[in-house]
Amino acid sequence: MGGEIVDEAVQAAPAPPLRGLVGRYTGYRQRGMPPARHRGLPSPWLTLIITLDEPLSIAAHPDPGAAPGDYATLLGGLHLTPALIEMPGRQSGIQVAVSPLGARVLLGLPAGELAAADVHADDVLGADVREVHERVREAPDWAARFAAVDDWLLRRMSRHEAAHPIATPVADAWHLLLSAHGLLRIDSLAAETSVSERHLRNRFRTEIGLTPKAAARVIRFDRTRRRLASRPDAIDLAQLAADCGYADQSHLDREFSTLAACTPTNWLAKEHQNIRSGHHPPA
């Protein structure tokens, strides 16, 4: 049926040994949709995308010096500005949310080496990413596709088992920021982890890819946009700003304009169909 419309979004948890290192898998498939541009927003997760039928087309990267391009598999680090993704009406793949704390174990390098970058995944992960790409494409359903990614990441974890997850104080500071939804002063964070602010800032940039202050902004922003997506037709922006730790709605608007390159209202309007179809993880 040439005119058939397909708009699927399926989420799944990784295998138990991967939890804490991987947040979730999101499978997506769209056919017959209107052409659009999607914003890949800053978040506390590194992004690994394994496409199914067509490459992912990046029109603009978080790094403005990077050229647009098409990706069969993509690996992206933490960033402070959005990527712009071309959606020509057809796209499909699996997005893997990788914790910065899992980068050394699963990817073989610290998350800081991928800061603000989108790269072809095989340039970093080697030829075995092409193997899992083929397995995912050949799998008959989402459960089998997610199982193929599980198996691949478990093998990578075994291969890099000598590279333990990030040790304290960076890991402790990261967990504290997450649990506080980004609402923690950096001097308090340093005191909680018994290191100087300078030491924490330097180690954080190396291991996470952002300074603690920038990471706190991204964590708060990520929570805010998930809350926004959870009630797109009945959100009170002033109340949302108060609930998420912004001084007022104007502060929220400014931060959204910096990190998303649009206002909250504009983002909702542009992402309406994707939100309705479940392509945004819940709050």
Side-chain angles (χ1 to χ4, degrees), residues 8 13 25 55 63 87-88 166 186 191-192 201 225 229 266:
E8 298 178 353
Y25 302 143
D63 176 0
M87 298 168 58
I166 300 171
I186 305 309
E192 286 276 358
R201 182 171 58 251
R225 63 103 173 178
N266 286 342

Side-chain angles (χ1 to χ4, degrees), residues 1-230:
M1 295 174 59
E4 183 181 9
I5 295 177
V6 177
D7 197 6
E8 298 178 353
V10 180
Q11 296 193 20
L18 295 169
R19 294 175 192 175
L21 305 178
V22 175
R24 63 188 170 273
Y25 302 143
T26 302
Y28 59 91
R29 185 187 294 275
Q30 293 182 319
R31 295 286 182 275
M33 305 297 293
R37 270 191 172 182
H38 166 71
R39 281 177 167 81
L41 298 181
S43 87
W45 302 96
L46 283 75
T47 298
L48 170 64
I49 293 178
I50 303 169
T51 63
L52 292 178
D53 301 315
E54 51 278 308
L56 184 75
S57 294
I58 305 293
H61 297 268
D63 176 0
D70 292 342
Y71 296 78
T73 58
L74 177 140
L75 183 60
L78 302 193
H79 50 99
L80 292 172
T81 53
L84 296 180
I85 302 166
E86 295 287 3
M87 298 168 58
R90 295 172 56 89
Q91 63 168 358
S92 56
I94 293 175
Q95 179 170 324
V96 182
V98 179
S99 168
L101 302 187
R104 286 187 181 272
V105 173
L106 298 177
L107 309 179
L109 77 172
E113 292 191 19
L114 293 167
D118 291 325
V119 299
H120 293 279
D122 55 352
D123 288 345
V124 175
L125 305 181
D128 71 337
V129 77
R130 292 192 287 273
E131 176 190 340
V132 72
H133 188 204
E134 286 305 311
R135 289 186 60 194
V136 164
R137 294 184 65 182
E138 293 169 0
D141 54 34
W142 289 116
R145 293 171 192 133
F146 296 146
V149 178
D150 267 342
D151 179 65
W152 175 63
L153 289 176
L154 287 167
R155 285 188 281 114
R156 289 194 63 87
M157 185 168 67
S158 175
R159 189 182 314 157
H160 296 288
E161 60 186 353
H164 298 293
I166 300 171
T168 55
V170 173
D172 287 348
W174 180 252
H175 287 304
L176 285 167
L177 279 178
L178 288 175
S179 63
H181 306 299
L183 303 177
L184 190 61
R185 288 173 55 93
I186 305 309
D187 55 353
S188 299
L189 188 64
E192 286 276 358
T193 52
S194 302
V195 296
S196 70
E197 291 183 49
R198 180 179 179 181
H199 177 80
L200 183 62
R201 182 171 58 251
N202 291 339
R203 294 299 300 158
F204 224 80
R205 188 183 286 113
T206 297
E207 296 292 350
I208 303 297
L210 299 173
T211 65
K213 183 176 181 179
R217 289 177 65 199
V218 167
I219 290 168
R220 178 173 59 175
F221 168 78
D222 184 67
R223 180 191 183 211
T224 303
R225 63 103 173 178
R226 292 182 195 282
R227 291 277 300 274
L228 190 61
S230 70

